[in-house]
Amino acid sequence: MIFRPDHVLKTVLVGLLVAGSTACSAPEQSAPPAEMARQALSAGDGLGAEVILRQMLADGTPRRDVAAFLGQAELQQGALREARKWLGGADFAAADQARGFHMLGRLEMAEGRLPQAGQAFDNALKFSPDDPELWVDIGRLRYRGGEQAQAVEASLHAARLGPKNAAALQFRGQLVRDAQGMQASIPWFEAALEVTPDDVALLGDYAATLGEMGHARTALERTRQMLALAPRNGRALYIQAVIAARAGKFDLARNLLARSGDYGRQMPAGMLLSAIIDLENGNFASAAQTLDLLQAQQPGNTRIRNLLARSLSLGGNHRELVHRFGSTQPHQSMPPYLATLVGRSYEILGDRENAAPFLDHAALRANSALGLLEGGPDTDPDGMSDLANAADAVLRVRTLISEGRSQAAIEGASDMLLRNPGSADAMGLAGDAYLSANQPARALELYQQAGRIRQLWPLGRRMVHAHIALGRDEDALHLLQRALLDQPSNTEAAVMLAGMEAARGDYSRAQMVLGHALLHGRSRDPDVMSSWAWAMAQNGDGQSAGPAMMAAYRLQRMNRVSTARLGQLLAADPRQSQQARALLNKAAKLPTGS
């Protein structure tokens, strides 16, 4: 992480350094000042470069001869206002036109002025059309503007121009990770690290990818390397916190996250991790407060919404839960989990009439092969997904889907795709519209187009549903297996895979996959625990299945499925027939969705 001092303090410091270098007889330099400034910029030392460049100004170097370099130095320090003083006028020496316009484009992009950034990059291309790092920035701009297919093309072009350029290799690795998975991106990150082994940001990408793949030890080694280079690096501490949380070491995770600075306080991924740690530690009110802030930032994020509902439920805030999520009848795209929580809260409040439609909806959706994505993309830790001016259009289409107005949703999504032909998000949204209209073949075609650009798990889940709707169970199984292999912490994929294995009678594989889900964070989920115990019983291991099913029942004594399954297991033992009948009678009286 580059140190960013306060502007006033930095001005004083630079002034003192310049004055000191003027007053003292400096030792003979091995390179001209301009070359020394370039070397400092290449090393990421913006402050060091600024000192040299301001001394050059003091010695009489014309402003336009240092403007591009000083602009870059200020950008490296995060001083956007100062950078604009040097770059905004576009007054650069003839030899520095490419660098100047390139840096101006970075400044415009950093300030969210995407059209102006595009104009600056176009000007830079006139002077340096084969600069791989310029093409990397063009690709990032296209990605942020929703032109994701064009961003992929830019990344390929950058990699061709700079096969040994670390920035080009890193960017290509990021896009490969999105489109082809974690494993496929590793060679790109490793190739980039061969060029710049001490690049902290690159090490962060590599460590995060290894962590998602379940290679915790190697990921930790890379984060320690990051901290050796930058002792206060927040991303390294955040990655360590994630690894600790996945290992069940929540106190350690909390400590690491607290030390990560902005990652723990302001970054959505860090805030989400903080809420999960609070949930695991029983701090339900604190978790709900954090998740409430996150939902305001990302109202379409399904995971955040479900976790907020869970924190309210576990904290006994049932009136707040039904006020937020149960004020209307359950709509088509409401997830079964959320509908179940709302229904149970209504029951606890003594309102069985309002509970019934939510619990019935949960039971219907849980048994359905199809499921729509009812929100936007999951949190993107790298902040690369920013489909410009499309939030309202997305919300309109998703509202039409939830209301069952499939044809209107198709028309709206098709219009959005026409206006954003390179956007994976627009392709996925159109796929959702066709899936809601019971046209899974067209939906799958659109999902596959989106997946060639950006295939994160929410898209993978929808592709699974489309394959199942088309009767292609083997293709669905293959997708789930690949998702779990690529990201072992993906317990949703694990549970879906286990369900498909059980449905075709392979309870041995179902038991193994459910055991994996229990080890990766679902140990307190009664449905997963009872399914695991049931698979054991079907595999002939009744001795182990009984205690496991009892544990699932104790997790949630009003869960209809685990109650019924425990009764069925006990019924096999004549000595426990009375208890078995009591459990089966209880299960019959419980609402269908519980």
Side-chain angles (χ1 to χ4, degrees):
M1 178 180 291
I2 297 170
F3 178 54
R4 298 177 179 175
D6 176 84
H7 173 60
V8 175
L9 176 61
K10 189 192 77 168
T11 301
V12 173
L13 176 62
V14 170
L16 287 172
L17 288 171
V18 171
S21 64
T22 303
C24 303
S25 55
E28 185 177 351
Q29 298 175 341
S30 58
E35 180 57 32
M36 293 175 64
R38 286 189 179 90
Q39 291 173 3
L41 290 171
S42 295
D45 182 9
L47 181 58
E50 183 178 358
V51 170
I52 297 168
L53 292 163
R54 287 189 182 274
Q55 179 60 53
M56 291 173 62
L57 274 174
D59 290 341
T61 302
R63 174 190 171 93
R64 66 195 314 266
D65 288 352
V66 296
F69 298 94
L70 269 168
Q72 183 177 359
E74 298 293 357
L75 280 175
Q76 287 188 355
Q77 297 171 79
L80 303 187
R81 184 176 297 178
E82 287 298 304
R84 185 162 292 282
K85 292 178 182 179
W86 299 102
L87 301 172
D91 183 19
F92 312 119
D96 303 331
Q97 295 284 320
R99 183 188 295 262
F101 282 112
H102 187 175
M103 294 306 112
L104 177 58
R106 284 185 178 177
L107 172 62
E108 301 288 13
M109 190 159 60
E111 293 183 340
R113 293 155 52 92
L114 304 191
Q116 291 84 348
Q119 292 171 8
F121 289 148
D122 285 343
N123 284 328
L125 279 174
K126 297 174 184 176
F127 300 97
S128 184
D130 295 330
D131 180 356
E133 293 194 20
L134 175 57
W135 277 100
V136 167
D137 284 332
I138 290 170
R140 293 190 185 281
L141 175 65
R142 290 175 176 177
Y143 207 107
R144 284 189 58 182
E147 297 178 335
Q148 293 158 348
Q150 294 88 335
V152 171
E153 294 173 3
S155 76
L156 290 167
H157 189 56
R160 284 192 294 266
L161 290 172
K164 296 295 184 181
N165 183 278
L169 294 169
Q170 180 183 12
F171 184 48
R172 185 70 197 128
Q174 290 170 341
L175 295 190
V176 167
R177 181 176 58 192
D178 280 356
Q180 300 174 33
M182 304 290 171
Q183 184 64 51
S185 70
I186 289 295
W188 292 96
F189 293 134
E190 290 179 342
L193 283 168
E194 287 181 7
V195 180
T196 55
D198 293 337
D199 185 318
V200 175
L202 178 56
L203 284 166
D205 273 351
Y206 188 46
T209 304
L210 290 168
E212 288 298 316
M213 293 173 62
H215 301 323
R217 180 173 297 179
T218 311
L220 284 172
E221 290 173 0
R222 294 301 182 177
T223 59
R224 292 180 186 125
Q225 185 180 349
M226 293 168 69
L227 291 169
L229 294 165
R232 296 184 180 181
N233 186 271
R235 190 181 186 193
L237 293 166
Y238 166 74
I239 294 170
Q240 290 184 352
V242 172
I243 293 170
R246 285 177 177 162
K249 300 176 181 179
F250 295 107
D251 289 338
L252 174 60
R254 167 65 66 200
N255 179 268
L256 289 165
L257 191 61
R259 291 166 51 201
S260 70
D262 287 347
Y263 265 90
R265 291 189 297 267
Q266 298 178 15
M267 299 290 285
M271 293 171 68
L272 181 59
L273 177 60
S274 176
I276 291 171
I277 293 170
D278 279 335
L279 278 171
E280 292 293 338
N281 287 336
N283 301 322
F284 305 127
S286 177
Q289 185 177 17
T290 302
L291 291 163
D292 188 34
L293 290 172
L294 268 178
Q295 192 187 36
Q297 296 175 22
Q298 301 179 22
N301 191 307
T302 309
R303 187 183 186 195
I304 292 171
R305 185 176 61 187
N306 287 349
L307 284 171
L308 175 57
R310 182 185 177 199
S311 66
L312 292 171
S313 176
L314 292 174
N317 248 326
H318 299 290
R319 292 192 184 279
E320 177 70 12
L321 195 157
V322 299
H323 172 72
R324 282 176 174 269
F325 306 110
S327 57
T328 60
Q329 292 294 303
H331 50 76
Q332 182 186 359
S333 62
M334 178 178 262
Y337 180 75
L338 180 59
T340 299
L341 290 180
V342 173
R344 287 173 181 162
S345 288
Y346 268 125
E347 280 193 320
I348 291 170
L349 294 170
D351 189 348
R352 295 185 68 87
E353 182 179 351
N354 275 318
F358 287 94
L359 295 175
D360 289 343
H361 172 82
L364 179 65
R365 282 291 312 281
N367 294 324
S368 172
L370 291 178
L372 301 175
L373 184 74
E374 66 290 338
D378 283 1
T379 302
D380 180 2
D382 291 317
M384 294 179 65
S385 179
D386 181 19
L387 193 57
N389 303 318
D392 290 343
V394 172
L395 181 59
R396 284 196 299 273
V397 172
R398 296 211 181 283
T399 300
L400 291 169
I401 292 174
S402 68
E403 293 173 350
R405 299 167 61 188
S406 300
Q407 188 55 43
I410 288 173
E411 292 171 3
S414 298
D415 179 65
M416 183 176 169
L417 184 57
L418 186 64
R419 289 183 284 110
N420 301 275
S423 168
D425 296 327
M427 295 171 193
L429 183 66
D432 289 348
Y434 278 101
L435 192 59
S436 73
N438 198 27
Q439 298 184 46
R442 176 57 178 153
L444 183 59
E445 181 183 348
L446 287 160
Y447 291 154
Q448 288 171 336
Q449 289 176 18
R452 285 192 281 271
I453 300 170
R454 188 167 181 256
Q455 189 174 145
L456 302 181
W457 167 241
L459 178 63
R461 179 178 62 228
R462 291 134 80 191
M463 291 175 71
V464 168
H465 292 319
H467 277 303
I468 292 173
L470 291 167
R472 302 174 183 172
D473 287 5
E474 288 300 321
D475 290 330
L477 279 167
H478 176 72
L479 272 176
L480 289 168
Q481 289 164 355
R482 193 180 75 176
L484 192 56
L485 183 66
D486 199 50
Q487 198 172 3
S489 61
N490 187 342
T491 57
E492 186 181 4
V495 172
M496 290 176 69
L497 176 60
M500 291 196 70
E501 296 287 11
R504 66 178 189 170
D506 194 340
Y507 285 99
S508 179
R509 287 182 62 84
Q511 179 183 339
M512 178 184 68
V513 176
L514 288 166
H516 174 88
L518 291 170
L519 289 172
H520 285 77
R522 300 294 282 271
S523 60
R524 299 191 61 78
D525 186 322
D527 294 324
V528 176
M529 177 70 81
S530 67
S531 295
W532 180 59
W534 188 254
M536 278 187 202
Q538 302 308 305
N539 285 328
D541 189 1
Q543 188 172 359
S544 299
M549 193 65 79
M550 180 62 75
Y553 173 71
R554 286 172 176 162
L555 282 172
Q556 196 173 85
R557 294 176 183 270
M558 300 302 288
N559 184 290
R560 183 176 185 271
V561 174
S562 58
T563 301
R565 284 174 170 172
L566 179 59
Q568 289 173 314
L569 287 183
L570 295 180
D573 185 350
R575 295 170 298 176
Q576 303 192 68
S577 58
Q578 185 174 352
Q579 186 179 359
R581 282 196 300 273
L583 287 166
L584 291 170
N585 287 335
K586 176 183 176 181
K589 295 175 183 177
L590 289 172
T592 307
S594 65

